[in-house]
Amino acid sequence: QVQLVESGGGLVQAGGSLRLSCAASGNIWRLNAMDWYRQAPGKQREFVASITSRGSTSYADSVKVRFTVSREKNTGYLQMRTLKPEDTAVYYCNARGTTTLIEDFDAWGQGTQVTVSS
């Protein structure tokens, strides 16, 4: 079983920065990709950023340049800069890979609240 634990959310003023972390643990043999999503009140969950095992990254247009996704072993990071009130949401990480039992996994974190005040 694979678990993801997120941290780093909080309240920040517009223009500020936050760094989110997502620590994956359990019987992980290989972690292929880690994605970040967010869900604002009354809206659907949306893709934010992704990083593959090879370090390839992709971003939603709304966060390009301002957000940077990275990864060190089984922990992912989302560095958020120049935050805007519209970035306010619950941020979730998602990880996909293979367990030591050679089974695919697709796990989600519990979410962390990011609130940006104007």
Side-chain angles (χ1 to χ4, degrees), residues 40-80:
K43 295 188 177 181
Q44 290 188 333
R45 189 172 298 188
E46 64 175 3
F47 169 79
V48 175
S50 177
I51 184 165
T52 70
S53 58
R54 296 184 177 182
S56 297
T57 60
S58 60
Y59 298 91
D61 288 343
S62 59
V63 306
K64 275 181 182 176
V65 178
R66 300 187 299 121
F67 289 13
T68 303
V69 63
S70 62
R71 181 179 144 186
E72 184 174 342
K73 294 184 179 179
N74 290 337
T75 298
Y77 303 95
L78 184 67
Q79 177 68 53
M80 306 183 293

Side-chain angles (χ1 to χ4, degrees), residues 1-113:
Q1 191 172 3
V2 176
Q3 299 85 33
L4 303 184
V5 177
E6 301 178 42
S7 60
L11 173 64
V12 64
Q13 288 188 332
S17 300
L18 281 174
R19 190 176 83 151
L20 306 183
S21 299
C22 176
S25 63
N27 54 338
I28 300 170
W29 178 59
R30 185 171 64 186
L31 200 160
N32 293 331
M34 185 172 281
D35 299 343
W36 291 89
Y37 289 78
R38 66 186 182 187
Q39 187 166 18
K43 295 188 177 181
Q44 290 188 333
R45 189 172 298 188
E46 64 175 3
F47 169 79
V48 175
S50 177
I51 184 165
T52 70
S53 58
R54 296 184 177 182
S56 297
T57 60
S58 60
Y59 298 91
D61 288 343
S62 59
V63 306
K64 275 181 182 176
V65 178
R66 300 187 299 121
F67 289 13
T68 303
V69 63
S70 62
R71 181 179 144 186
E72 184 174 342
K73 294 184 179 179
N74 290 337
T75 298
Y77 303 95
L78 184 67
Q79 177 68 53
M80 306 183 293
R81 299 180 177 87
T82 319
L83 284 161
K84 305 175 181 180
E86 51 263 43
D87 294 318
T88 295
V90 177
Y91 283 71
Y92 299 89
C93 63
N94 169 260
R96 299 179 304 284
T98 307
T99 70
T100 54
L101 298 177
I102 315 301
E103 296 174 338
D104 293 338
F105 69 85
D106 185 336
W108 287 87
Q110 80 284 5
T112 186
Q113 177 70 47

